[in-house]
């Protein structure tokens, strides 16, 4: 069953076209990893999925809802789509526990006790339950990103979007975040991941999408993508980043 349907979307920033006729379908439970050089439109594409970025033309549907329709209830839609950014975007004046409790109480209507139980559950899932009562500044970058993932998961989303979630982390912190994402993928979460982590892409992705200059160049399963890419632009990209 199709969870996300992107059809011929175009996006412009002034005179610059960032997405050009992009089409992609993501099935329920599928893990799609988007690769490509900087400036290829990867982040813009996933930000269009939940309406964080407007589109110039085309359509995006999530579970049959037309995201960019003026009648669409974006707040309701976004409650079903978790989004993890490059920067952690945690509220610095609140504890990790309070960060996670906030949206379930405000949006889902959970009681404080229910939201607390949920926060503990999600922090345990990402392996940092002992950090619940610390403020974000007291956590390492990897712990902050895991807290951001726990906050997204606390809304019980059907879909998770990750925009280069390890790009702001030191090398030793990357693995702990990727391990959490791998567990999510193996649990059947529908995911779109923008990343430069090739080992993760090969291991976890069902489908790899390669983008360049605002276009999708190639869509393939990992084995084909890495071992026998069909497009010379994909081969060139891989030759530049695989040593």
């Amino acid at each position: 069953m199709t969870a996300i349907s992107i059809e011929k979307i175009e996006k412009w920033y002034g005179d610059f076209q960032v997405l050009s006729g992009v089409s992609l379908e993501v099935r329920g439970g599928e893990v799609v990893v988007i690769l490509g050089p900087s400036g290829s439109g990867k982040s813009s594409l996933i930000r269009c999925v939940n309406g964080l970025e407007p589109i110039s033309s085309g359509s995006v549907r999530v579970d049959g809802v037309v995201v960019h329709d003026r009648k669409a209830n974006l707040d309701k839609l976004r409650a079903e789509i978790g989004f993890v950014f490059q920067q952690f975007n945690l509220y610095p004046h609140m504890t990790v526990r309070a960060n996670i409790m906030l949206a379930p109480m405000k949006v889902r209507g959970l009681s404080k006790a229910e939201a607390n139980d949920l926060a503990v559950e999600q922090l345990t899932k990402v392996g940092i339950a002992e950090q619940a009562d610390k403020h974000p500044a007291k956590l390492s970058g990897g712990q902050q990103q895991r807290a951001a993932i726990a906050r997204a998961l606390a809304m019980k989303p059907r879909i998770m979007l990750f925009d280069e979630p390890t790009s702001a982390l030191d090398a030793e912190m990357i693995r702990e975040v990727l391990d959490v994402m791998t567990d999510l993928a193996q649990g059947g979460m529908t995911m779109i991941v923008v990343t430069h982590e090739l080992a993760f892409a090969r291991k976890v992705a069902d489908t790899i999408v390669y983008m360049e200059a605002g276009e999708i160049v190639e869509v393939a399963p990992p084995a084909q993508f890495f071992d026998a890419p069909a497009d010379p632009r994909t081969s060139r990209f891989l030759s530049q980043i695989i040593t």
Side-chain angles (χ1 to χ4, degrees), residues 97 101 104-105 109-119:
R97 184 195 306 270
M101 291 171 61
M105 292 171 65
L110 269 63
S111 69
K112 186 174 181 179
E114 290 170 332
N116 179 70
D117 289 346
L118 184 59

Side-chain angles (χ1 to χ4, degrees), residues 31-99:
V31 178
V32 173
V33 171
I34 304 178
L35 301 176
S38 296
S40 59
K42 308 182 301 294
S43 293
S44 294
L45 176 58
I46 67 164
R47 290 172 71 90
C48 290
V49 170
N50 70 341
L52 285 176
E53 294 278 2
I55 58 176
S56 303
S57 63
S59 71
V60 179
R61 288 179 171 83
V62 176
D63 289 336
V65 176
V66 181
V67 174
H68 298 276
D69 190 321
R70 291 181 180 179
K71 298 177 182 178
N73 186 336
L74 285 183
D75 289 338
K76 181 179 179 181
L77 182 69
R78 288 171 183 158
E80 307 296 333
I81 305 173
F83 201 120
V84 178
F85 299 85
Q86 296 179 40
Q87 301 297 331
F88 320 122
N89 291 348
L90 297 167
Y91 293 114
H93 63 288
M94 300 171 67
T95 65
V96 169
R97 184 195 306 270
N99 265 278

Side-chain angles (χ1 to χ4, degrees), residues 161-191:
L161 308 176
F162 294 86
D163 185 9
E164 300 195 29
T166 60
S167 64
L169 302 180
D170 294 334
E172 64 269 19
M173 298 175 185
I174 290 174
R175 173 51 50 195
E176 61 190 47
V177 174
L178 293 180
D179 285 346
V180 171
M181 294 169 62
T182 299
D183 288 345
L184 278 177
Q186 292 175 344
M189 177 68 75
T190 305
M191 297 166 58

Side-chain angles (χ1 to χ4, degrees), residues 13 27 42 67 139 189 231:
Y13 291 122
R27 302 183 307 275
K42 308 182 301 294
V67 174
L139 274 59
M189 177 68 75
D231 194 288

Side-chain angles (χ1 to χ4, degrees), residues 128 130-131 138-148 176:
I128 55 168
E130 73 283 0
Q131 309 296 337
K138 298 295 185 182
L139 274 59
S140 70
Q143 289 171 333
Q144 288 187 60
Q145 192 61 294
R146 283 191 280 168
E176 61 190 47

